[in-house]
Coordinates of all heavy atoms in Angstrom, one line a residue:
M20 N 0.9 -1.2 0.0 CA 0.0 0.0 0.1 C 0.8 1.2 0.0 O 1.8 1.3 0.8 CB -0.9 0.0 1.2 CG -1.7 1.3 1.4 SD -2.7 1.3 2.8 CE -4.2 0.6 2.2
S21 N 0.5 2.2 -0.8 CA 1.3 3.5 -0.9 C 1.0 4.3 0.3 O -0.1 4.2 0.9 CB 0.8 4.2 -2.2 OG 1.3 5.5 -2.1
P22 N 2.0 5.0 0.9 CA 1.8 5.8 2.1 C 0.7 6.7 1.9 O 0.0 7.0 2.9 CB 3.1 6.5 2.3 CG 4.2 5.7 1.5 CD 3.3 5.0 0.4
R23 N 0.4 7.3 0.7 CA -0.6 8.3 0.7 C -2.0 7.8 0.8 O -2.9 8.5 1.0 CB -0.5 9.1 -0.6 CG -0.8 8.2 -1.9 CD -0.6 9.1 -3.1 NE -0.6 8.3 -4.3 CZ -1.7 8.0 -5.0 NH1 -2.8 8.4 -4.6 NH2 -1.6 7.3 -6.1
L24 N -2.0 6.5 0.7 CA -3.3 5.8 0.9 C -3.6 5.2 2.3 O -4.6 4.6 2.5 CB -3.4 4.7 -0.2 CG -3.3 5.1 -1.7 CD1 -3.4 3.9 -2.7 CD2 -4.4 6.0 -2.0
L25 N -2.6 5.3 3.1 CA -2.7 4.9 4.4 C -3.7 5.6 5.3 O -3.7 7.0 5.2 CB -1.4 5.0 5.1 CG -1.2 4.4 6.5 CD1 -1.4 2.9 6.4 CD2 0.1 4.7 7.1
R26 N -4.8 5.0 5.8 CA -5.8 5.7 6.5 C -5.2 6.3 7.8 O -4.3 5.7 8.4 CB -7.0 4.8 6.9 CG -7.7 4.2 5.8 CD -8.9 3.5 6.1 NE -8.8 2.8 7.5 CZ -8.3 1.6 7.9 NH1 -8.0 0.8 6.8 NH2 -8.3 1.1 9.0
A27 N -5.6 7.5 8.2 CA -5.1 8.1 9.3 C -5.2 7.3 10.6 O -4.4 7.2 11.4 CB -5.7 9.5 9.6
D28 N -6.3 6.6 10.7 CA -6.6 5.8 12.0 C -5.7 4.5 11.9 O -5.6 3.9 13.0 CB -8.1 5.5 12.1 CG -8.6 4.7 11.0 OD1 -8.0 4.5 10.0 OD2 -9.7 4.3 11.2
A29 N -5.1 4.2 10.8 CA -4.2 3.1 10.7 C -2.7 3.5 10.8 O -1.9 2.5 10.7 CB -4.5 2.2 9.5
D30 N -2.5 4.7 10.9 CA -1.1 5.1 10.8 C -0.4 5.0 12.2 O -0.8 5.4 13.3 CB -1.1 6.6 10.5 CG 0.4 7.1 10.2 OD1 1.3 6.5 10.6 OD2 0.5 8.3 9.7
P31 N 0.7 4.1 12.3 CA 1.4 3.9 13.6 C 1.9 5.1 14.2 O 2.2 5.2 15.4 CB 2.3 2.9 13.1 CG 2.6 3.0 11.8 CD 1.3 3.5 11.2
V32 N 2.2 6.1 13.4 CA 2.8 7.3 13.9 C 1.7 8.2 14.7 O 2.0 9.0 15.5 CB 3.3 8.2 12.7 CG1 3.8 9.6 13.2 CG2 4.5 7.5 12.0
G33 N 0.4 7.9 14.3 CA -0.6 8.5 15.1 C -1.0 10.0 14.5 O -1.5 10.8 15.4
R34 N -0.9 10.2 13.3 CA -1.1 11.5 12.8 C -2.7 11.7 12.8 O -3.4 10.7 12.7 CB -0.6 11.7 11.3 CG -1.2 10.8 10.4 CD -0.6 10.7 9.0 NE -1.0 9.5 8.4 CZ -1.8 9.5 7.3 NH1 -2.3 10.6 6.9 NH2 -2.2 8.4 6.8
H35 N -3.1 12.9 12.8 CA -4.5 13.2 12.7 C -4.7 14.2 11.5 O -4.4 15.4 11.7 CB -5.0 13.9 14.0 CG -4.8 12.9 15.2 ND1 -5.6 11.9 15.5 CD2 -3.8 13.0 16.1 CE1 -5.1 11.3 16.6 NE2 -4.0 11.9 17.0
D36 N -5.3 13.7 10.4 CA -5.5 14.5 9.3 C -6.7 15.4 9.4 O -7.8 14.8 9.9 CB -5.6 13.7 8.0 CG -4.3 13.0 7.6 OD1 -3.2 13.5 8.0 OD2 -4.4 12.0 6.9
T37 N -6.6 16.6 8.9 CA -7.8 17.4 8.8 C -8.1 17.5 7.3 O -7.4 18.0 6.5 CB -7.3 18.9 9.3 OG1 -6.9 18.8 10.5 CG2 -8.6 19.8 9.1
P38 N -9.3 17.0 7.0 CA -9.7 16.9 5.5 C -10.0 18.2 5.0 O -10.5 19.1 5.7 CB -10.9 15.9 5.6 CG -11.4 16.0 6.9 CD -10.2 16.3 7.8
L39 N -9.8 18.3 3.7 CA -10.3 19.5 2.9 C -10.7 19.1 1.6 O -10.4 18.0 1.1 CB -9.1 20.5 2.8 CG -7.8 20.2 2.2 CD1 -7.8 20.3 0.7 CD2 -6.7 21.1 2.7
T40 N -11.4 20.0 1.0 CA -11.8 19.7 -0.4 C -11.5 20.9 -1.3 O -11.6 22.1 -1.0 CB -13.4 19.6 -0.4 OG1 -13.8 18.5 0.3 CG2 -13.9 19.3 -1.9
V41 N -10.8 20.5 -2.4 CA -10.4 21.6 -3.5 C -11.3 21.2 -4.7 O -11.5 20.0 -5.0 CB -9.0 21.4 -3.7 CG1 -8.5 22.3 -4.8 CG2 -8.1 21.7 -2.5
T42 N -11.7 22.2 -5.4 CA -12.4 21.9 -6.7 C -11.4 22.2 -7.8 O -10.8 23.3 -7.9 CB -13.7 23.0 -6.9 OG1 -14.4 22.7 -5.7 CG2 -14.4 22.5 -8.1
V43 N -11.3 21.2 -8.7 CA -10.3 21.4 -9.8 C -11.2 21.2 -11.0 O -11.8 20.2 -11.4 CB -9.2 20.3 -9.7 CG1 -8.3 20.4 -10.9 CG2 -8.5 20.4 -8.5
N44 N -11.3 22.3 -11.8 CA -12.1 22.3 -13.1 C -13.5 21.8 -12.8 O -14.1 21.1 -13.6 CB -11.4 21.6 -14.2 CG -10.2 22.1 -14.6 OD1 -9.9 23.3 -14.4 ND2 -9.2 21.3 -15.3
G45 N -14.0 22.2 -11.7 CA -15.4 21.8 -11.2 C -15.5 20.5 -10.6 O -16.7 20.2 -10.1
E46 N -14.5 19.8 -10.5 CA -14.5 18.4 -9.8 C -14.0 18.6 -8.5 O -12.8 19.0 -8.2 CB -13.7 17.4 -10.6 CG -13.8 16.0 -10.0 CD -12.7 15.1 -10.7 OE1 -12.3 15.4 -11.9 OE2 -12.6 14.0 -10.3
P47 N -14.8 18.1 -7.4 CA -14.2 18.2 -6.0 C -13.1 17.1 -5.8 O -13.4 15.9 -6.2 CB -15.5 18.0 -5.2 CG -16.5 17.4 -6.1 CD -16.1 17.8 -7.5
L48 N -12.1 17.5 -5.2 CA -11.1 16.5 -4.9 C -10.7 16.6 -3.4 O -10.6 17.7 -2.8 CB -9.7 16.8 -5.6 CG -9.7 16.7 -7.2 CD1 -8.3 17.0 -7.8 CD2 -10.3 15.4 -7.6
A49 N -10.5 15.5 -2.7 CA -10.3 15.4 -1.3 C -8.8 15.5 -1.0 O -8.0 15.0 -1.8 CB -10.8 14.1 -0.8
G50 N -8.4 16.2 -0.1 CA -7.0 16.4 0.3 C -7.0 16.5 1.8 O -8.1 16.3 2.6
V51 N -5.8 16.7 2.4 CA -5.7 16.9 3.8 C -4.8 18.2 4.1 O -4.0 18.6 3.2 CB -4.9 15.7 4.5 CG1 -5.8 14.4 4.4 CG2 -3.6 15.5 4.0
A52 N -5.2 18.9 5.1 CA -4.5 20.1 5.5 C -2.9 19.8 5.5 O -2.5 18.8 6.0 CB -4.9 20.6 6.9
G53 N -2.2 20.8 4.8 CA -0.8 20.6 4.8 C -0.3 20.2 3.4 O 0.8 20.4 3.0
Q54 N -1.2 19.6 2.6 CA -0.8 19.3 1.2 C -0.8 20.5 0.4 O -1.6 21.4 0.6 CB -1.8 18.3 0.6 CG -1.7 16.8 1.0 CD -2.7 16.0 0.2 OE1 -3.9 16.3 0.1 NE2 -2.2 15.0 -0.3
T55 N 0.1 20.4 -0.5 CA 0.1 21.4 -1.6 C -1.0 21.1 -2.6 O -1.6 20.0 -2.6 CB 1.5 21.6 -2.4 OG1 1.7 20.2 -3.0 CG2 2.6 21.7 -1.4
V56 N -1.3 22.1 -3.5 CA -2.2 21.9 -4.6 C -1.7 20.8 -5.4 O -2.5 19.9 -5.8 CB -2.5 23.1 -5.3 CG1 -3.4 22.9 -6.7 CG2 -3.2 24.3 -4.5
A57 N -0.5 20.7 -5.7 CA 0.1 19.6 -6.5 C 0.0 18.3 -5.9 O -0.3 17.2 -6.4 CB 1.6 19.9 -6.8
G58 N 0.1 18.3 -4.4 CA -0.1 17.1 -3.8 C -1.5 16.5 -3.9 O -1.7 15.3 -4.0
V59 N -2.4 17.5 -3.8 CA -3.8 17.0 -3.9 C -4.0 16.5 -5.4 O -4.8 15.4 -5.5 CB -4.9 18.1 -3.7 CG1 -6.2 17.8 -3.9 CG2 -4.7 18.7 -2.2
L60 N -3.6 17.2 -6.3 CA -3.7 16.6 -7.7 C -3.0 15.3 -7.9 O -3.5 14.4 -8.5 CB -3.1 17.7 -8.7 CG -4.0 19.0 -8.8 CD1 -3.1 20.0 -9.5 CD2 -5.1 18.7 -9.8
L61 N -1.7 15.1 -7.4 CA -1.1 13.9 -7.5 C -1.7 12.7 -6.9 O -1.8 11.7 -7.3 CB 0.3 14.0 -7.1 CG 1.3 14.9 -8.0 CD1 2.6 15.2 -7.2 CD2 1.5 14.2 -9.3
A62 N -2.3 13.1 -5.6 CA -3.0 12.0 -4.9 C -4.3 11.6 -5.6 O -4.8 10.5 -5.3 CB -3.3 12.6 -3.4
S63 N -4.8 12.5 -6.4 CA -6.0 12.1 -7.2 C -5.8 11.3 -8.3 O -6.7 10.8 -9.0 CB -6.9 13.4 -7.5 OG -6.2 14.0 -8.7
G64 N -4.4 11.0 -8.6 CA -4.0 10.2 -9.8 C -3.6 11.0 -11.0 O -3.2 10.4 -12.0
R65 N -3.6 12.4 -10.9 CA -3.3 13.2 -12.1 C -1.8 13.3 -12.1 O -1.1 13.5 -11.0 CB -3.9 14.5 -12.0 CG -5.4 14.5 -12.2 CD -6.0 15.8 -11.8 NE -7.4 16.1 -12.1 CZ -8.4 15.4 -11.4 NH1 -8.1 14.6 -10.4 NH2 -9.6 15.6 -11.8
R66 N -1.2 13.1 -13.2 CA 0.3 13.2 -13.4 C 0.6 14.5 -14.2 O 1.7 14.9 -14.2 CB 0.9 12.0 -14.1 CG 0.6 10.8 -13.4 CD 1.5 10.8 -12.0 NE 1.2 9.7 -11.1 CZ 0.4 9.8 -10.1 NH1 -0.1 10.8 -9.7 NH2 0.3 8.7 -9.3
S67 N -0.4 15.1 -15.0 CA -0.2 16.3 -15.7 C -1.5 17.0 -15.7 O -2.5 16.4 -15.6 CB 0.3 16.0 -17.2 OG -0.8 15.3 -17.9
W68 N -1.4 18.4 -15.7 CA -2.7 19.1 -15.7 C -2.6 20.4 -16.6 O -3.4 21.2 -16.6 CB -3.0 19.5 -14.3 CG -2.0 20.1 -13.4 CD1 -1.6 21.3 -13.4 CD2 -1.2 19.3 -12.5 NE1 -0.6 21.4 -12.4 CE2 -0.3 20.2 -11.9 CE3 -1.2 18.0 -12.1 CZ2 0.7 19.8 -11.1 CZ3 -0.3 17.6 -11.2 CH2 0.6 18.4 -10.6
R69 N -1.6 20.5 -17.4 CA -1.6 21.6 -18.4 C -0.6 21.2 -19.6 O 0.0 20.1 -19.5 CB -1.1 22.9 -17.8 CG 0.5 22.9 -17.5 CD 0.8 24.3 -16.9 NE 2.2 24.5 -16.9 CZ 2.9 25.0 -17.8 NH1 2.2 25.5 -18.9 NH2 4.2 25.1 -18.0
A70 N -0.7 22.0 -20.5 CA 0.2 21.7 -21.8 C 1.2 22.8 -22.0 O 0.8 24.0 -21.9 CB -0.7 21.3 -23.0
G71 N 2.4 22.5 -22.4 CA 3.3 23.4 -22.7 C 3.1 23.8 -24.2 O 2.1 23.5 -24.8
P72 N 3.9 24.8 -24.7 CA 3.6 25.4 -26.0 C 3.7 24.4 -27.1 O 2.9 24.5 -28.1 CB 4.8 26.3 -26.2 CG 5.3 26.6 -24.9 CD 5.1 25.5 -24.0
S73 N 4.3 23.3 -27.0 CA 4.3 22.2 -27.9 C 3.1 21.3 -27.8 O 2.9 20.3 -28.6 CB 5.6 21.3 -27.9 OG 5.5 20.6 -26.6
G74 N 2.4 21.5 -26.7 CA 1.2 20.5 -26.5 C 1.6 19.4 -25.5 O 0.8 18.6 -25.2
A75 N 3.0 19.4 -25.2 CA 3.3 18.3 -24.3 C 2.8 18.4 -23.0 O 2.7 19.5 -22.4 CB 4.9 18.3 -24.3
P76 N 2.4 17.4 -22.2 CA 1.8 17.5 -21.0 C 2.8 17.9 -20.0 O 4.0 17.6 -20.0 CB 1.3 16.0 -20.6 CG 2.2 15.2 -21.5 CD 2.4 16.0 -22.7
R77 N 2.3 18.8 -19.0 CA 3.2 19.3 -17.8 C 2.5 19.1 -16.5 O 1.2 19.2 -16.5 CB 3.4 20.8 -18.0 CG 4.2 21.2 -19.3 CD 5.6 20.8 -19.0 NE 6.5 21.2 -20.1 CZ 7.0 20.5 -21.0 NH1 6.6 19.2 -21.1 NH2 7.7 20.9 -22.0
G78 N 3.2 18.8 -15.5 CA 2.7 18.6 -14.2 C 3.9 19.0 -13.2 O 4.4 20.1 -13.4
V79 N 4.2 18.2 -12.3 CA 5.3 18.4 -11.4 C 6.5 17.9 -12.1 O 6.6 16.8 -12.4 CB 5.0 17.8 -10.1 CG1 6.3 17.8 -9.1 CG2 3.9 18.5 -9.2
F80 N 7.5 18.9 -12.1 CA 8.9 18.4 -12.6 C 9.8 18.6 -11.5 O 10.4 17.5 -11.1 CB 9.2 19.2 -13.7 CG 10.6 18.8 -14.3 CD1 10.8 17.6 -14.9 CD2 11.7 19.7 -14.3 CE1 12.0 17.3 -15.4 CE2 12.9 19.3 -14.8 CZ 13.1 18.0 -15.4
C81 N 10.1 19.7 -11.0 CA 11.1 19.9 -9.9 C 10.5 19.7 -8.5 O 11.2 19.2 -7.6 CB 11.7 21.3 -10.0 SG 10.7 22.7 -9.5
G82 N 9.2 20.1 -8.3 CA 8.5 20.0 -7.0 C 9.1 21.0 -6.0 O 8.6 20.9 -4.8
I83 N 9.9 22.0 -6.3 CA 10.4 23.0 -5.4 C 10.3 24.3 -5.8 O 11.0 25.3 -5.3 CB 11.9 22.6 -5.1 CG1 12.8 22.7 -6.4 CG2 12.1 21.3 -4.3 CD1 14.3 22.6 -6.1
G84 N 9.5 24.6 -6.8 CA 9.2 26.0 -7.3 C 10.1 26.6 -8.2 O 10.1 27.9 -8.5
V85 N 10.9 25.8 -8.9 CA 11.9 26.4 -9.8 C 11.4 26.3 -11.3 O 11.7 27.4 -12.1 CB 13.3 25.6 -9.7 CG1 14.2 26.1 -10.6 CG2 13.7 25.8 -8.3
C86 N 10.9 25.3 -11.7 CA 10.7 25.1 -13.2 C 9.3 25.6 -13.8 O 9.2 25.9 -14.9 CB 10.7 23.6 -13.4 SG 9.2 22.7 -12.9
F87 N 8.4 26.0 -12.9 CA 7.1 26.6 -13.3 C 6.3 25.6 -14.2 O 5.5 26.1 -15.0 CB 7.4 27.9 -14.0 CG 7.7 29.0 -13.0 CD1 9.0 29.1 -12.5 CD2 6.8 30.0 -12.6 CE1 9.4 30.1 -11.6 CE2 7.2 31.0 -11.7 CZ 8.5 31.0 -11.2
D88 N 6.6 24.3 -14.2 CA 5.8 23.4 -15.0 C 4.4 23.1 -14.5 O 3.6 22.6 -15.2 CB 6.6 22.1 -15.2 CG 7.5 22.1 -16.4 OD1 7.6 23.1 -17.2 OD2 8.1 21.0 -16.7
C89 N 4.2 23.4 -13.3 CA 3.0 23.0 -12.5 C 2.0 24.1 -12.4 O 1.0 24.0 -11.5 CB 3.4 22.5 -11.1 SG 4.1 23.8 -10.1
L90 N 2.0 25.2 -13.2 CA 1.2 26.3 -13.0 C -0.3 26.1 -13.1 O -0.7 25.2 -14.0 CB 1.5 27.4 -14.1 CG 3.0 28.0 -14.1 CD1 3.1 29.0 -15.2 CD2 3.2 28.6 -12.6
V91 N -1.0 26.6 -12.3 CA -2.5 26.5 -12.2 C -3.1 27.9 -11.8 O -2.3 28.8 -11.4 CB -3.0 25.5 -11.3 CG1 -2.6 24.1 -11.7 CG2 -2.5 25.8 -9.7
T92 N -4.4 28.1 -12.0 CA -5.1 29.3 -11.4 C -5.7 28.8 -10.2 O -6.5 27.8 -10.2 CB -6.1 29.8 -12.6 OG1 -5.4 30.2 -13.6 CG2 -6.8 30.9 -11.9
V93 N -5.5 29.6 -9.1 CA -6.1 29.3 -7.8 C -7.0 30.5 -7.3 O -6.4 31.6 -7.3 CB -5.0 28.9 -6.7 CG1 -5.7 28.7 -5.4 CG2 -4.2 27.8 -7.1
N94 N -8.3 30.3 -7.1 CA -9.2 31.4 -6.8 C -9.0 32.6 -7.7 O -9.0 33.8 -7.2 CB -9.0 31.7 -5.3 CG -9.0 30.4 -4.4 OD1 -10.0 29.6 -4.7 ND2 -8.3 30.5 -3.3
G95 N -8.8 32.3 -9.0 CA -8.7 33.4 -10.0 C -7.3 34.0 -10.0 O -7.1 34.9 -11.0
E96 N -6.3 33.6 -9.3 CA -5.0 34.1 -9.4 C -4.3 33.2 -10.4 O -4.1 32.0 -10.1 CB -4.3 34.0 -8.0 CG -2.9 34.6 -8.1 CD -2.2 34.5 -6.7 OE1 -2.9 34.2 -5.7 OE2 -1.0 34.6 -6.7
R97 N -3.8 33.7 -11.5 CA -3.2 32.9 -12.5 C -1.8 32.6 -12.2 O -1.1 33.3 -11.4 CB -3.2 33.6 -13.9 CG -4.4 33.6 -14.6 CD -4.2 34.2 -16.0 NE -3.2 33.5 -16.8 CZ -3.4 32.5 -17.6 NH1 -4.5 31.9 -17.6 NH2 -2.3 32.0 -18.2
D98 N -1.1 31.6 -12.9 CA 0.2 31.3 -12.8 C 0.7 31.1 -11.3 O 1.8 31.4 -10.9 CB 1.1 32.4 -13.3 CG 0.8 32.5 -14.9 OD1 0.4 31.6 -15.5 OD2 1.1 33.6 -15.4
V99 N 0.0 30.3 -10.6 CA 0.4 29.8 -9.2 C 1.1 28.5 -9.4 O 0.7 27.6 -10.0 CB -0.9 29.6 -8.3 CG1 -0.6 29.1 -7.0 CG2 -1.6 31.0 -8.2
R100 N 2.2 28.4 -8.8 CA 3.0 27.2 -8.8 C 2.3 26.2 -7.8 O 2.3 26.4 -6.6 CB 4.4 27.4 -8.3 CG 5.2 28.1 -9.4 CD 6.5 28.6 -8.9 NE 6.4 29.6 -7.9 CZ 7.3 30.1 -7.3 NH1 8.6 29.8 -7.4 NH2 7.1 31.1 -6.4
A101 N 1.7 25.1 -8.3 CA 1.0 24.2 -7.5 C 1.8 23.5 -6.5 O 1.3 23.1 -5.4 CB 0.2 23.2 -8.4
C102 N 3.1 23.4 -6.8 CA 4.0 22.7 -5.8 C 4.3 23.5 -4.6 O 4.9 23.0 -3.7 CB 5.2 22.1 -6.6 SG 6.4 23.5 -7.1
R103 N 4.0 24.8 -4.7 CA 4.4 25.7 -3.6 C 3.3 26.3 -2.9 O 3.4 26.8 -1.8 CB 5.2 27.0 -4.2 CG 6.5 26.6 -4.9 CD 7.5 26.1 -3.9 NE 7.8 27.1 -3.0 CZ 8.4 27.1 -1.9 NH1 8.7 25.9 -1.5 NH2 8.7 28.1 -1.0
R104 N 2.1 26.1 -3.4 CA 0.8 26.6 -2.8 C 0.1 25.6 -1.9 O -0.2 24.5 -2.4 CB -0.2 27.2 -3.8 CG -1.6 27.5 -3.3 CD -1.6 28.8 -2.5 NE -1.2 29.9 -3.2 CZ -2.1 30.9 -3.8 NH1 -3.3 30.6 -3.6 NH2 -1.7 31.9 -4.5
R105 N 0.0 25.8 -0.7 CA -0.6 24.9 0.3 C -2.1 25.0 0.0 O -2.7 26.1 -0.2 CB -0.3 25.4 1.7 CG -0.7 24.2 2.6 CD 0.1 24.5 4.0 NE 1.5 24.1 3.8 CZ 2.3 24.0 4.9 NH1 1.8 23.9 6.1 NH2 3.5 23.7 4.7
A106 N -2.7 23.9 -0.2 CA -4.2 23.8 -0.5 C -4.9 24.3 0.8 O -4.6 24.0 1.9 CB -4.6 22.4 -0.9
A107 N -6.0 24.9 0.4 CA -6.9 25.4 1.5 C -8.3 24.9 1.2 O -8.8 24.9 0.0 CB -7.0 26.9 1.6
D108 N -9.1 24.6 2.3 CA -10.4 24.1 2.0 C -11.2 25.1 1.2 O -11.3 26.2 1.5 CB -11.1 23.8 3.3 CG -12.4 23.0 3.3 OD1 -12.4 22.1 2.3 OD2 -13.3 23.3 4.0
G109 N -11.9 24.7 0.1 CA -12.7 25.4 -0.7 C -12.0 26.1 -1.9 O -12.6 26.9 -2.6
D110 N -10.6 25.9 -2.0 CA -9.9 26.5 -3.1 C -10.5 26.1 -4.4 O -11.0 24.9 -4.6 CB -8.4 26.0 -3.1 CG -7.6 26.9 -2.2 OD1 -8.0 28.0 -1.8 OD2 -6.4 26.5 -1.9
V111 N -10.6 27.0 -5.3 CA -11.1 26.7 -6.7 C -9.8 26.8 -7.6 O -9.2 27.9 -7.8 CB -12.1 27.7 -7.2 CG1 -12.6 27.5 -8.6 CG2 -13.4 27.6 -6.2
V112 N -9.6 25.6 -8.1 CA -8.4 25.5 -9.1 C -8.8 25.2 -10.5 O -9.8 24.3 -10.7 CB -7.4 24.4 -8.5 CG1 -6.3 24.2 -9.5 CG2 -7.0 24.6 -7.1
T113 N -8.2 26.0 -11.4 CA -8.5 25.7 -12.9 C -7.1 25.5 -13.5 O -6.1 26.2 -13.1 CB -9.3 26.7 -13.5 OG1 -8.6 28.0 -13.3 CG2 -10.7 26.9 -13.1
T114 N -7.1 24.5 -14.5 CA -5.8 24.3 -15.1 C -5.6 25.3 -16.2 O -6.6 25.9 -16.7 CB -5.8 22.8 -15.7 OG1 -7.0 22.7 -16.5 CG2 -5.9 21.8 -14.6
Q115 N -4.4 25.4 -16.5 CA -4.0 26.4 -17.6 C -3.3 25.7 -18.8 O -3.0 24.5 -18.6 CB -2.9 27.3 -17.1 CG -3.5 28.2 -15.9 CD -2.4 29.2 -15.3 OE1 -2.6 29.8 -14.4 NE2 -1.3 29.3 -16.0
S116 N -3.2 26.4 -19.9 CA -2.5 25.8 -21.0 C -1.8 26.8 -21.8 O -2.1 28.0 -21.8 CB -3.6 25.1 -22.0 OG -3.0 24.6 -23.0
R117 N -0.8 26.5 -22.4 CA 0.0 27.4 -23.2 C 0.1 26.9 -24.7 O 1.0 27.3 -25.5 CB 1.4 27.6 -22.7 CG 1.4 28.1 -21.4 CD 2.5 29.0 -21.0 NE 2.3 29.3 -19.5 CZ 2.6 30.5 -19.1 NH1 3.0 31.4 -19.9 NH2 2.5 30.8 -17.9
E118 N -0.9 26.0 -25.0 CA -0.9 25.6 -26.4 C -1.3 26.7 -27.3 O -2.0 27.6 -26.8 CB -2.0 24.5 -26.5 CG -1.5 23.1 -25.9 CD -2.6 22.1 -26.1 OE1 -3.4 21.9 -25.4 OE2 -2.5 21.4 -27.1
P119 N -0.8 26.7 -28.5 CA -1.2 27.8 -29.4 C -2.8 27.9 -29.6 O -3.4 26.9 -29.7 CB -0.5 27.4 -30.7 CG 0.6 26.5 -30.4 CD 0.1 25.9 -29.1
G120 N -3.2 29.2 -29.6 CA -4.6 29.4 -29.7 C -5.6 29.3 -28.4 O -6.7 29.4 -28.4
D121 N -4.8 28.8 -27.4 CA -5.6 28.6 -26.1 C -5.3 29.8 -25.2 O -4.2 30.1 -24.8 CB -5.0 27.4 -25.4 CG -5.9 26.9 -24.2 OD1 -6.8 27.8 -23.7 OD2 -6.0 25.8 -23.8
A122 N -6.4 30.6 -24.9 CA -6.2 31.8 -24.3 C -6.2 31.7 -22.6 O -6.1 32.5 -21.9 CB -7.4 32.8 -24.6
R123 N -6.4 30.4 -22.2 CA -6.4 30.1 -20.7 C -5.1 30.5 -20.2 O -4.1 30.2 -20.6 CB -6.8 28.8 -20.5 CG -8.3 28.5 -20.6 CD -8.7 27.1 -20.1 NE -8.1 26.2 -21.0 CZ -8.0 24.9 -20.8 NH1 -8.5 24.5 -19.6 NH2 -7.6 24.0 -21.7
Ligands
LIG224 S1 7.0 21.6 -10.2 FE1 8.7 23.0 -10.7 S2 7.7 24.9 -10.1 FE2 6.3 23.3 -9.5

């Protein structure tokens, strides 16, 4: 079993997760307090959520805020690095694209 799938009540360390819900392109995703937006997206099974200029999929590459591959819009704020933004309950996330002709 992957650690991210370990139920809090079965965790031998005794952590107590605070659940949160983030909406991504209108779809509610469950997360826990302390996760980044990228963490919530990855835990939901997404590996990419935007496209680069060539149309190639982009998601988390560096995971430390350097590459800007993970950009999303959070609560109307564009170009937020998903790996650096801590998710908050009720956040509204929309994915972005840099494909030619895509104005998002
Ligand atoms: S994954 Fe590189 S900036 Fe977020």
Side-chain angles (χ1 to χ4, degrees):
M20 174 182 271
S21 169
R23 70 181 166 87
L24 300 177
L25 188 65
R26 293 186 338 268
D28 61 350
D30 188 343
V32 174
R34 70 190 159 105
H35 301 281
D36 289 339
T37 302
L39 59 83
T40 302
V41 173
T42 304
V43 178
N44 295 338
E46 179 185 353
L48 298 181
V51 295
Q54 276 186 311
T55 61
V56 171
V59 173
L60 287 162
L61 290 169
S63 75
R65 289 167 173 77
R66 296 295 173 259
S67 65
W68 46 85
R69 71 179 197 93
S73 68
R77 295 286 187 259
V79 170
F80 181 67
C81 72
I83 58 173
V85 175
C86 72
F87 290 75
D88 268 2
C89 62
L90 297 178
V91 292
T92 299
V93 179
N94 302 327
E96 181 183 351
R97 283 188 56 85
D98 297 337
V99 173
R100 290 170 289 174
C102 69
R103 299 290 298 158
R104 174 68 67 96
R105 197 162 285 199
D108 191 38
D110 273 350
V111 177
V112 177
T113 52
T114 55
Q115 298 180 188
S116 178
R117 298 207 186 222
E118 289 182 271
D121 192 340
R123 285 186 291 164

